[in-house]
Amino acid sequence: MQYPIILPGRRITDSLLNSMHPQFAFKAAHTDRSSTTAFAPDPDLVLPLAGSAVYQVQAWLLYGAGSTGDFKTSWQVPSGATGNRAVLGPGSTALDGGADNISSRLGVHNFSTTVNYNGVRNSTGNMAFVLETATIWTASAGDVAILWAQNTSDGTATRLGAGSYMTARRLA
């Protein structure tokens, strides 16, 4: 189904036209976190969602981590939202400095489930890639946000890199 439905005679307004565009959030600069396993929203990857709506959300994450700290994610969604998120990225035991021949994590999880990705390239500067996507049915308005932290506390920073981005497209 297309959103929004435009019936004959409906007035075309700036609000209607703007509701047709997907929302984007992107990281213009790196965010580094060290010595913490506590989830926190990424300061850049947050988007508002309307209540009583359906969205398709994708997060393209470029991360760098040492093999001790690693990288873990979870999602914040509006209260009462339903759905699951699908993930694609390096497995929790993957390790190859060239990220050429590694085990992968492919799964479907609840929004609040902790998903661990290994510091596959063992470096904050050498990035690895994660795709997380979901269809979200909202009951109330609120933000969708990528929460992340180190999987194991480490003084060497874990980085969510510039160029990471998130999109939300309203479906209904």
Side-chain angles (χ1 to χ4, degrees):
M1 175 191 318
Q2 181 178 342
Y3 177 85
I5 297 172
I6 302 175
L7 299 173
R10 184 168 182 183
R11 186 165 182 222
I12 305 298
T13 64
D14 60 343
S15 176
L16 176 66
L17 292 173
N18 286 329
S19 74
M20 295 178 189
H21 295 288
Q23 300 177 67
F24 293 93
F26 69 96
K27 296 190 68 59
H30 304 311
T31 299
D32 290 349
R33 295 183 179 159
S34 58
S35 302
T36 183
T37 60
F39 279 120
D42 186 81
D44 303 306
L45 301 181
V46 179
L47 292 170
L49 303 181
S52 301
V54 180
Y55 288 87
Q56 195 272 327
V57 178
Q58 292 186 338
W60 299 78
L61 309 175
L62 308 175
Y63 78 94
S67 60
T68 300
D70 297 335
F71 177 68
K72 68 180 181 179
T73 64
S74 183
W75 283 28
Q76 170 189 306
V77 295
S79 178
T82 58
N84 289 301
R85 76 189 209 265
V87 303
L88 168 65
S92 60
T93 61
L95 186 60
D96 181 337
D100 184 37
N101 188 20
I102 59 173
S103 60
S104 296
R105 178 163 193 144
L106 309 164
V108 177
H109 306 281
N110 292 322
F111 297 123
S112 61
T113 298
T114 297
V115 176
N116 302 315
Y117 302 101
N118 195 39
V120 65
R121 302 197 67 193
N122 196 22
S123 167
T124 300
N126 293 329
M127 302 293 213
F129 168 76
V130 168
L131 169 62
E132 296 193 358
T133 184
T135 300
I136 302 173
W137 287 261
T138 62
S140 59
D143 290 337
V144 60
I146 299 298
L147 309 177
W148 68 276
Q150 293 180 318
N151 189 47
T152 303
S153 183
D154 185 20
T156 300
T158 294
R159 170 175 289 167
L160 190 51
S164 297
Y165 69 95
M166 182 178 191
T167 65
R169 181 175 194 83
R170 188 165 177 176
L171 303 177

